[in-house]
Each structure stands twice: as structure tokens, then as C-alpha cells.
Amino acid sequence: MDEQSGIYGQIGEDGVTPVPGLLFYRFEAAIVFFNADHFKERVRTVLRQADPKPRWFLFSAESTPVLDITGGETLEELRAELEEQGIVFAIAKPRGRFEAMLKRTGVADKIGPQRIFPTIRAGVAAFRARSG
């Protein structure tokens, strides 16, 4: 855990047991113009350090209350980068203004409704179902 830059790890349904191929990340701040680049670099760093390389990146948005247009562009850039690397970008627990802007910017459509989950548990279950 990196207390200044977010929480990350490989998680299981109980929050402790690793699920090979699934990387969970939570950023405890809004993703807006002044910190969007920091968020993007933190995600890139976490992905570079992941062993083994994840097949899914599950972003928990529960601690990210606000997303602005710059944040939306940043999420789309990351989604596209991960897709090029063969990694699925998914979001769990989008709420309020974050969720509204995710839809308004069109990023939700690019991610796809099949990769936006109401809970982390639902995201883990979807990963397992699609990973066979």
C-alpha cells in the first residue's frame, strides 16, 4: 500500500486472497486537471511493478468523488494504453459526480457497460467468469 498515491494489490473476494491476473487499484482523490497526470503515472508504475502481468485492471472509484474533463481524458488514455497491452480496463463503484462525468465524456461507452461494476465483488466475479 502506498498511502500517498493510492492503494493497490491483487485481491480476491475476501479482499485478501490474490486473484492471479487481476490488479485492483483505488485512488483516494478526485481525478481532475491538477492531478490527472499523477494518477496516470501511478497507474503505469503499479502496472510495471505487477508480477505477473495482469489481464485485468480493476479501478475502484469509490474514493474518487469527482472527475473533470481532463480526468476523463486521462481515463480514456489509460484504457487505450491497456487495451494495446492486452489488459482489460474495468471500473467498480462509480458514484455521483464521478459517474456522471464518466458518462458525459463518453468514457463509459468506450469502457463498455460489461466492464463497469456496482461492486468490487461483481468485478472480481466477472473477471473469473471471463477468464475461465
Side-chain angles (χ1 to χ4, degrees):
M1 178 170 121
D2 182 339
E3 293 180 16
Q4 294 182 348
S5 301
I7 299 170
Y8 57 93
Q10 294 178 331
I11 63 163
E13 286 184 63
D14 62 4
V16 177
T17 308
V19 177
L22 176 65
L23 184 68
F24 163 86
Y25 186 79
R26 182 171 73 198
F27 189 70
E28 300 203 359
I31 303 173
V32 294
F33 70 96
F34 61 83
N35 71 346
D37 285 339
H38 173 71
F39 169 78
K40 183 170 33 178
E41 288 309 312
R42 285 301 307 143
V43 169
R44 288 174 175 161
T45 298
V46 167
L47 287 164
R48 271 194 307 274
Q49 294 173 350
D51 184 33
K53 176 185 168 186
R55 294 187 310 273
W56 274 43
F57 177 83
L58 181 61
F59 173 58
S60 173
E62 70 181 313
S63 294
T64 306
V66 178
L67 181 72
D68 70 2
I69 191 78
T70 303
E73 291 170 354
T74 297
L75 289 179
E76 173 50 24
E77 287 174 27
L78 284 170
R79 185 207 60 78
E81 283 178 27
L82 296 181
E83 184 178 282
E84 288 178 12
Q85 297 174 39
I87 301 170
V88 171
F89 182 88
I91 295 181
K93 294 187 164 188
R95 305 269 193 273
R97 295 184 347 211
F98 178 93
E99 184 177 25
M101 187 57 87
L102 194 66
K103 292 176 182 176
R104 192 173 305 138
T105 59
V107 176
D109 290 333
K110 291 178 181 175
I111 293 169
Q114 74 281 8
R115 294 196 177 125
I116 298 176
F117 305 100
T119 65
I120 295 167
R121 186 176 301 255
V124 171
F127 168 77
R128 286 187 166 151
R130 292 177 186 142
S131 296

